[in-house]
Amino acid sequence: MKRLFFASLLLACEILLAVEPFSIPQGLGSGNTVVPADESYLFSDLQKSNTQIIYTRPNLPFAQIAANEQQELHEDYEKYYGWRLDEKLYIGLLSGCNQIPNAFSTQWPNNRQMNYMGGSVMVDYFSATSWLKLLLHHESAHNYQLNAKASTFSQDAHTIIGNGTLLTPLLMLTVPNIMENSFLLEGNAVLNESWHGNGGRLYNGALKAQTLIAAQADRITPQNLYNVSLEFPYYGFNWYIIGGHYNYYLAQKYGLEKINSYFLNHSEDFWWPHFTNWSMINSIGVDFESSLAEFAESKKAQAAKMRLAEGEKIAASKIFYQLGSSSERIYFLTQPSGVSFPELAVYDKKTNRFTLQRTSHPGGKVIEKGGDLYTQATNFTSPAKITQGLYNSHAKLLETSDSKVVQGYLKSGEALYFDVKSSFDQPQLYMGDEFYAQVNSSVYIDDEDNLYYFVQGENKERTLYKNKTAIAALKGFYGHVVGADKGVVYLVANSENGSSLYGFQEGRFFRASSADNIIDARIIDESKVLIAAIEADGYAYRVTALERIDQAPYEERLFFEQESYYGAYEGVHEPLEKKEHYTALGNLHYSGADLLYTSMQNGDFVSASANFGDPLGQNSAAIFIQKDDANISTMGTLYENSEHLLSYRLGLYGLIDKNKRGDVRSFGAIGSALLPLYRAGYESVNLFASFYQDYQTAEREPLS
């Protein structure tokens, strides 16, 4: 029988590292928070909000923004979630070696959220003024959702075993909401990212169109939303987008406080946290399935008013990437199956010739430079650096694009780009080496090197610029320029029932398409346009006629804009005066204890471990004691470190009671080490060694 000792180590590490199995660290791909050999970090404690900000010295200005936001944010979330965090919140603002457009929140090893700086590549999608504040609002919502413990059992257990777990024939958890489905977790966080006066995905008309189309296709069902979808739209869109609109529907009908109270109510079920209907009834008086059906019917009625794009369909994709273009061609990637290699699509504006060919470019917007095609993407450029920039078909970085979100190139060859490292808060636009402007949308470059972009102001004022001159304004947070031709500036912006194509000419807006499902476009000539449209089975790329309808972009008004809690915070300024140097070992904190009991055929299996970890995930430790089904009792310790380029794991254990058997050792050991030598593109080279010594003397001691 496989030694249960090793199985216990597996369990301890899995809980300690929050879903990472016992394996050699391979960088962020296997669950590490930051790359190895990362930049050095500082940390500052905020006494007013029981929060610690962890940041690099270059990110000090952004750390101050986060500190100013936290006090009022915590006060609001305590009120609307009905819960006060029972642990310090650790907020990481990660270095320029980790250029990822993402963030995450977890209760392991402690109550924390880690925020990455790469969001400027998705500025149109998130429809927010500040990327950093959107992350703080969204991820902090997760911290309150997951940290909630309504039962006396969970609260009392937390004082002893922290964020640990008691696994018996009945599942008992100190963090019950960790079992909640992502549809409710992510959807609620999208709701709560959108009422702070900073925009958010609920203001994005393309995502509204996607929700309406899903309703029209009868896909808003518990089965589709609670299960991982293998069909379009894939699970992430269901969770965030349909989940966000569902939570908004409930908040509008029952109030923000009631829908947020779902998570406190749900956390009462510490022993079997899966009673969604019961928790929803306790929160709003209606069960989950009934409320979802009501939501689906309301959206289906609105979807009946939509107009879908028509025209020749030249390509289809299950995943959407932004359109790119030059004066003569339009470029984009498609993935017809969603899982195969992408295809590179090229449309010639002059000949109307369209080609598709398989490619191995990383997913992203296609940018042309000097006749070569690249995609704006994120990838490893060394074992210790994840970089945004332009990548070729071998996923190798164009060196001059390092740490840049390239918008295009001028006739002079100068790059127009967002500087990633200075764009943690809002996109900082550069022309060559010179700062140009702070902007809030992607940038379009016309054939004469004119630049078009939006800048977000106060009170939802969104101003359209041509170069450095304001030429128009609309109300909202969503809209990006997609073309300029013969005195007309074309943009994609909100319609009442989704997202459409508009034009601006001689001081007036007009609607250039009657369709409500347009998410991107490029002008072919004065009568035709290539559009990307969201449809029930994926994204369709169609060539359709330009129209001219007397209608301006629609202002998306959310109900909480009239509520007292809506709007940007005044900012309780708490200067980061005390800055301490962050070390992995020095910031190793107690996480919790895990207790396991199970009855086996040959005897009982009992295990207990005390777990430790640091917020950046650079090292972790566990002390364990157990008795396996062979009636062998062991005690030992594990330690893992990925702070440096050489990552390693060490484990030592000894037998407490040999049970009068002579075929066992008094001790055993386990160890492994990984040294990455090269990592870039689709290639990596590593040196790896491991050793495992079983307590049975008859077992081998393999060294690999």
Side-chain angles (χ1 to χ4, degrees):
M1 180 182 289
K2 177 94 174 153
R3 294 275 64 81
L4 286 176
F5 161 72
F6 190 71
S8 180
L9 298 187
L10 240 163
L11 173 67
C13 287
E14 187 167 353
I15 294 174
L16 173 66
L17 299 175
V19 308
E20 182 186 353
F22 190 75
S23 60
I24 298 302
Q26 298 288 339
L28 287 173
S30 63
N32 288 359
T33 301
V34 296
V35 293
D38 197 5
E39 296 178 20
S40 60
Y41 285 84
L42 304 171
F43 69 91
S44 297
D45 287 314
L46 309 180
Q47 300 303 324
K48 294 179 182 178
S49 55
N50 194 27
T51 299
Q52 183 178 104
I53 311 288
I54 304 168
Y55 54 94
T56 59
R57 193 167 295 280
N59 282 342
L60 176 59
F62 308 119
Q64 188 62 63
I65 292 173
N68 295 344
E69 197 79 357
Q70 282 307 300
Q71 176 67 17
E72 291 172 289
L73 181 62
H74 279 305
E75 290 174 0
D76 274 349
Y77 278 4
E78 285 177 9
K79 176 181 179 180
Y80 293 113
Y81 281 100
W83 176 255
R84 186 170 189 175
L85 298 177
D86 59 16
E87 287 192 4
K88 178 181 288 187
L89 175 61
Y90 297 92
I91 297 179
L93 306 185
L94 304 180
S95 79
C97 295
N98 306 271
Q99 296 176 14
I100 304 169
N102 210 339
F104 70 88
S105 170
T106 179
Q107 293 295 293
W108 289 281
N110 294 101
N111 183 28
R112 63 181 180 133
Q113 60 171 272
M114 297 290 118
N115 303 299
Y116 298 90
M117 64 169 49
S120 59
V121 74
M122 300 180 73
V123 62
D124 298 326
Y125 167 79
F126 282 100
S127 303
T129 305
S130 165
W131 164 251
L132 176 57
K133 289 181 180 179
L134 180 134
L135 294 184
L136 294 170
H137 302 153
H138 183 100
E139 300 304 332
S140 295
H142 285 320
N143 290 109
Y144 277 85
Q145 295 165 352
L146 298 175
N147 187 257
K149 303 175 183 69
S151 71
T152 302
F153 170 85
S154 293
Q155 294 174 19
D156 291 346
H158 178 265
T159 62
I160 302 171
I161 65 173
N163 288 334
T165 305
L166 176 60
L167 294 171
T168 69
L170 288 178
L171 180 67
M172 296 186 181
L173 301 173
T174 56
V175 189
N177 287 347
I178 196 65
M179 303 297 289
E180 182 52 272
N181 188 273
S182 293
F183 172 70
L184 286 172
L185 290 169
E186 297 298 353
N188 179 262
V190 168
L191 166 69
N192 284 279
E193 79 187 26
S194 302
W195 55 263
H196 301 276
N198 185 54
R201 279 167 279 191
L202 290 180
Y203 285 96
N204 185 319
L207 305 181
K208 180 180 181 179
Q210 179 177 314
T211 303
L212 297 180
I213 289 170
Q216 195 171 48
D218 294 321
R219 289 183 178 162
I220 300 182
T221 66
Q223 294 82 4
N224 281 346
L225 301 177
Y226 253 60
N227 296 322
V228 174
S229 174
L230 299 179
E231 298 179 354
F232 178 86
Y234 298 111
Y235 58 92
F237 289 101
N238 282 337
W239 295 344
Y240 290 87
I241 308 313
I242 300 177
H245 282 274
Y246 166 69
N247 273 266
Y248 176 77
Y249 171 81
L250 296 183
Q252 186 173 22
K253 189 170 183 178
Y254 302 104
L256 181 65
E257 194 166 351
K258 282 195 173 182
I259 185 55
N260 281 358
S261 72
Y262 169 86
F263 297 95
L264 186 61
N265 291 327
H266 190 263
S267 70
E268 292 182 16
D269 298 330
F270 63 89
W271 65 275
W272 188 251
H274 299 289
F275 296 117
T276 303
N277 277 337
W278 180 87
S279 301
M280 195 63 76
I281 289 173
N282 276 0
S283 303
I284 63 174
V286 180
D287 66 81
F288 168 71
E289 291 173 285
S290 297
S291 64
L292 185 67
E294 292 173 6
F295 165 71
E297 285 302 311
S298 72
K299 293 305 169 188
K300 195 171 183 178
Q302 186 177 357
K305 304 173 185 177
M306 289 184 75
R307 291 197 59 178
L308 302 183
E310 299 177 347
E312 180 189 2
K313 184 176 179 180
I314 61 173
S317 182
K318 299 295 186 183
I319 298 174
F320 172 70
Y321 302 109
Q322 281 184 294
L323 303 180
S325 61
S326 65
S327 59
E328 297 179 349
R329 284 175 287 274
I330 301 169
Y331 312 99
F332 55 97
L333 292 185
T334 69
Q335 284 194 322
S337 69
V339 294
S340 62
F341 273 97
E343 294 178 333
L344 175 63
V346 180
Y347 185 92
D348 191 298
K349 299 179 188 178
K350 293 183 178 179
T351 65
N352 294 320
R353 184 171 178 265
F354 178 69
T355 60
L356 271 174
Q357 64 180 39
R358 184 172 173 174
T359 184
S360 55
H361 280 87
K365 181 180 179 180
V366 180
I367 302 289
E368 180 184 2
K369 174 177 169 50
D372 296 322
L373 297 181
Y374 301 87
T375 51
Q376 180 66 49
T378 301
N379 207 344
F380 277 91
T381 51
S382 80
K385 190 174 181 183
I386 299 172
T387 306
Q388 289 184 324
L390 296 182
Y391 287 84
N392 63 18
S393 59
H394 300 288
K396 297 295 180 64
L397 178 71
L398 177 66
E399 291 187 2
T400 56
S401 70
D402 188 322
S403 302
K404 298 174 181 177
V405 177
V406 178
Q407 304 298 292
Y409 289 88
L410 305 177
K411 292 179 179 178
S412 64
E414 277 191 307
L416 192 75
Y417 61 92
F418 301 147
D419 176 64
V420 174
K421 294 181 180 180
S422 61
S423 297
F424 212 142
D425 183 41
Q426 299 183 52
Q428 306 298 307
L429 180 64
Y430 278 73
M431 182 183 291
D433 296 327
E434 300 294 323
F435 173 76
Y436 190 84
Q438 178 174 280
V439 306
N440 301 103
S441 74
S442 55
V443 182
Y444 181 81
I445 309 170
D446 73 9
D447 293 344
E448 302 302 322
D449 279 356
N450 294 303
L451 313 183
Y452 301 87
Y453 54 88
F454 281 96
V455 173
Q456 196 71 39
E458 296 182 356
N459 300 318
K460 295 174 65 179
E461 191 79 10
R462 191 166 178 81
T463 304
L464 174 62
Y465 278 78
K466 178 181 179 180
N467 299 320
K468 294 191 176 183
T469 302
I471 61 173
L474 53 83
K475 286 285 189 178
F477 294 93
Y478 174 70
H480 53 102
V481 178
V482 297
D485 183 61
K486 298 187 179 347
V488 182
V489 180
Y490 292 94
L491 60 144
V492 169
N494 285 330
S495 65
E496 184 174 1
N497 299 306
S499 177
S500 192
L501 180 67
Y502 294 87
F504 179 80
Q505 185 178 33
E506 297 178 353
R508 291 178 62 86
F509 283 107
F510 64 91
R511 191 161 172 174
S513 173
S514 56
D516 292 305
N517 61 331
I518 298 174
I519 58 178
D520 205 358
R522 284 295 183 270
I523 305 303
I524 297 172
D525 57 35
E526 58 187 13
S527 63
K528 297 195 301 294
V529 59
L530 173 61
I531 61 168
I534 176 73
E535 297 183 356
D537 296 320
Y539 301 97
Y541 301 86
R542 298 180 181 273
V543 175
T544 188
L546 286 167
E547 303 176 67
R548 196 174 185 103
I549 304 166
D550 188 17
Q551 187 178 114
Y554 176 78
E555 179 188 353
E556 186 68 48
R557 298 186 185 94
L558 302 183
F559 83 90
F560 37 58
E561 292 176 25
Q562 306 304 316
E563 300 292 333
S564 59
Y565 55 76
Y566 176 81
Y569 293 128
E570 295 292 330
V572 178
H573 294 281
E574 190 170 346
L576 298 173
E577 295 175 346
K578 189 177 181 182
K579 308 177 185 68
E580 299 185 50
H581 182 63
Y582 184 98
T583 61
L585 193 59
N587 287 272
L588 194 67
H589 305 297
Y590 174 64
S591 172
D594 298 315
L595 309 175
L596 169 66
Y597 168 79
T598 185
S599 181
M600 309 289 288
Q601 184 176 2
N602 299 324
D604 296 336
F605 176 73
V606 183
S607 174
S609 66
N611 307 315
F612 303 83
D614 77 293
L616 291 183
Q618 293 181 319
N619 72 154
S620 59
I623 301 170
F624 65 89
I625 184 171
Q626 70 172 33
K627 179 179 75 70
D628 65 17
D629 63 338
N631 206 28
I632 299 293
S633 299
T634 55
M635 183 176 182
T637 184
L638 294 166
Y639 180 74
E640 175 187 7
N641 189 295
S642 60
E643 181 180 8
H644 308 290
L645 203 58
L646 177 66
S647 301
Y648 59 90
R649 281 178 173 170
L650 299 172
L652 295 172
Y653 71 93
L655 269 64
I656 299 174
D657 179 12
K658 292 187 179 182
N659 197 29
K660 299 180 181 180
R661 287 173 52 175
D663 59 344
V664 294
R665 298 184 180 90
S666 298
F667 63 89
I670 182 172
S672 60
L674 174 75
L675 179 63
L677 301 179
Y678 176 81
R679 187 168 188 179
Y682 299 119
E683 303 159 358
S684 64
V685 179
N686 305 297
L687 288 179
F688 163 64
S690 70
F691 174 81
Y692 169 58
Q693 186 179 47
D694 203 327
Y695 64 69
Q696 280 202 356
T697 56
E699 297 291 333
R700 297 177 59 198
E701 301 175 12
L703 178 66
S704 61

